[in-house]
Amino acid sequence: MAEKGFLDHPDLIDRLEQLGMHINDKTKAEAELRRLGYHSTSGYRYPFRKLREPLTDELIKRREFRHDEFEAGSRFEDSIALADFDTKLRAVILTGIFDLEVRLRTAIAHVIAQKNPKGHLDISCLDTNRCLELTSSQNETSKFEAWKAQYESDKKSKNNDDFIAHHTLVYKTEIPVWAALERVSFGTLIHFYLLMKVEDQNDVARKFGVRQGTKFGSWLLSIMDLRNDCAHGARVFNKSMKRNVSVPPNSYFKKYLKHIDKTLTADKVYMPCVLLAHMLRCHESGTNWHNTFKTQVKKLPQIYLKELSEPLITAERNMGFPSNWQELEIWNN
């Protein structure tokens, strides 16, 4: 198959029209492509494309589930509205994750500092067996060594921070854990949490309404994946998440998550977002993030095509939300 060649914005607009997408204002449409990009908005046009039926094994292998042509009633403006909705959704999600990140750094540092102010580099303060595990069967580096290497890399990139420079010059020793964990990425912070003793993990997890520290760790990894998607501008409204997380009834306190059962789609954006809302609401500082998130989700564009009697995109079908989600306690004051 010949590779796609370059097309200028007017030609791209003409191609979309030829494939059946209605464009009300070509000049404005070209401006939108210059603002958002043709390729980056392709995922928001994808739901408008006709499904291939039947799907052959070859088509599935090539991940060609839809035709290039659009369904009747497809409008360019609707695809842009969907893209703008997703942009704002990512911003709201990131705000919540940033809030969680600050609280998590504080909680972890407090638990470790009670053992040793330099406990982030003292294997005796952590779970020895887990620290000595290899990062993979093909790599002889232990998880503790990998953590230290990543920590040193993160710290080196921030050597000019006032606190690090001051501490290094005055005390000439390693910075304490409460400062050290401020200098690592969210992912590195979570991997450090996974090296902690189970009882210390439990101590941290309970501050966020979670009984089981190991389960809390798996939920954090799910939120980390979502954070990476949001930070890099990936589409999230209908994305399949990298990890499926389980939420057994005995893994959490309070009743915010009691609606989660096996009927919910575990690999959609709802799952990490409801876990995030639970963590923030259960923390002693409280939050209003759940209301902000709910408000944004309710702004999902209502898009109708000529052949459909219901919206093309819904929070329930495409984002994994339960049918009665707006009435649930987790999303209300």
Side-chain angles (χ1 to χ4, degrees):
M1 183 180 293
E3 290 192 25
K4 296 178 180 179
F6 170 78
L7 291 176
D8 207 346
H9 294 108
D11 300 318
L12 292 170
I13 294 298
D14 288 342
R15 172 169 170 75
L16 290 177
E17 277 195 318
Q18 292 165 10
L19 293 173
M21 178 161 276
H22 175 73
I23 299 174
N24 186 49
D25 185 330
K26 287 190 175 184
T27 300
K28 185 176 180 180
E30 289 177 27
E32 294 290 13
L33 291 187
R34 287 191 292 271
R35 176 172 73 95
L36 298 172
Y38 181 85
H39 177 73
S40 63
T41 53
S42 62
Y44 302 104
R45 292 189 294 273
Y46 186 80
F48 296 86
R49 289 163 54 181
K50 295 179 180 179
L51 288 168
R52 291 182 182 271
E53 294 178 339
L55 281 174
T56 65
D57 291 341
E58 180 62 21
L59 287 172
I60 294 173
K61 180 180 179 181
R62 290 161 54 179
R63 303 180 70 83
E64 295 181 6
F65 305 110
R66 294 179 182 260
H67 293 283
D68 289 339
E69 293 79 17
F70 296 103
E71 296 281 2
S74 297
R75 300 171 64 250
F76 178 82
E77 292 78 11
D78 287 335
S79 70
I80 296 301
L82 192 56
D84 286 338
F85 163 81
D86 206 40
T87 297
K88 293 175 183 176
L89 180 66
R90 287 195 300 268
V92 169
I93 292 172
L94 279 175
T95 297
I97 296 177
F98 291 159
D99 192 356
L100 173 68
E101 187 173 337
V102 172
R103 302 182 194 199
L104 183 63
R105 290 180 193 277
T106 302
I108 294 175
H110 185 77
V111 168
I112 296 299
Q114 291 179 84
K115 297 172 178 289
N116 180 352
K118 309 293 173 63
H120 56 298
L121 297 178
D122 183 354
I123 198 171
S124 69
C125 295
L126 305 171
D127 185 301
T128 304
N129 291 333
R130 195 172 290 120
C131 285
L132 295 179
E133 288 177 1
L134 300 183
T135 54
S136 70
S137 57
Q138 294 81 33
N139 194 328
E140 295 186 358
T141 303
S142 72
K143 291 182 178 179
F144 184 64
E145 291 171 330
W147 144 255
K148 287 200 300 182
Q150 186 58 56
Y151 163 67
E152 290 296 339
S153 175
D154 289 352
K155 187 178 71 170
K156 184 177 180 180
S157 69
K158 298 182 179 181
N159 266 343
N160 288 329
D161 283 9
D162 289 343
F163 179 85
I164 294 180
H166 170 78
H167 190 91
T168 302
L169 287 170
V170 175
Y171 299 101
K172 304 185 188 314
T173 62
E174 177 60 45
I175 59 176
V177 63
W178 53 85
L181 295 186
E182 292 290 334
R183 270 65 191 172
V184 300
S185 69
F186 187 49
T188 304
L189 177 71
I190 293 172
H191 287 122
F192 176 73
Y193 170 85
L194 296 176
L195 297 180
M196 292 167 60
K197 296 178 186 292
V198 172
E199 59 267 28
D200 292 335
Q201 289 184 347
N202 291 341
D203 191 358
V204 172
R206 286 167 184 155
K207 291 176 172 57
F208 297 91
V210 185
R211 280 194 175 92
Q212 302 171 354
T214 52
K215 184 62 65 178
F216 185 60
S218 69
W219 295 359
L220 288 175
L221 288 171
S222 168
I223 291 173
M224 176 191 73
D225 292 337
L226 180 57
R227 182 192 190 279
N228 291 340
D229 286 335
C230 291
H232 292 95
R235 189 180 70 256
V236 298
F237 83 94
N238 66 346
K239 182 180 178 64
S240 294
M241 297 293 109
K242 182 178 178 180
R243 308 169 207 262
N244 287 353
V245 295
S246 62
V247 186
N250 63 343
S251 62
Y252 55 87
F253 296 104
K254 296 196 175 182
K255 48 191 176 182
Y256 292 132
L257 301 178
K258 66 179 182 180
H259 66 283
I260 295 181
D261 56 33
K262 294 181 180 179
T263 64
L264 279 182
T265 305
D267 68 342
K268 292 299 183 181
V269 71
Y270 180 78
M271 190 63 77
C273 287
V274 74
L275 296 178
L276 173 60
H278 171 85
M279 293 175 188
L280 291 175
R281 295 202 69 173
C282 289
H283 190 271
E284 64 178 347
S285 298
T287 186
N288 192 48
W289 179 81
H290 55 287
N291 286 322
T292 305
F293 179 76
K294 178 181 178 180
T295 298
Q296 177 56 29
V297 174
K298 288 168 65 177
K299 293 178 181 178
L300 177 67
Q302 297 292 292
I303 300 169
Y304 290 87
L305 300 183
K306 290 183 178 179
E307 305 299 324
L308 299 178
S309 59
E310 58 181 36
L312 177 67
I313 308 293
T314 69
E316 293 79 9
R317 185 171 59 251
N318 301 92
M319 301 169 68
F321 282 61
S323 58
N324 64 334
W325 73 274
Q326 293 191 51
E327 284 73 50
L328 295 172
E329 184 177 4
I330 184 78
W331 304 116
N332 291 283
N333 291 328

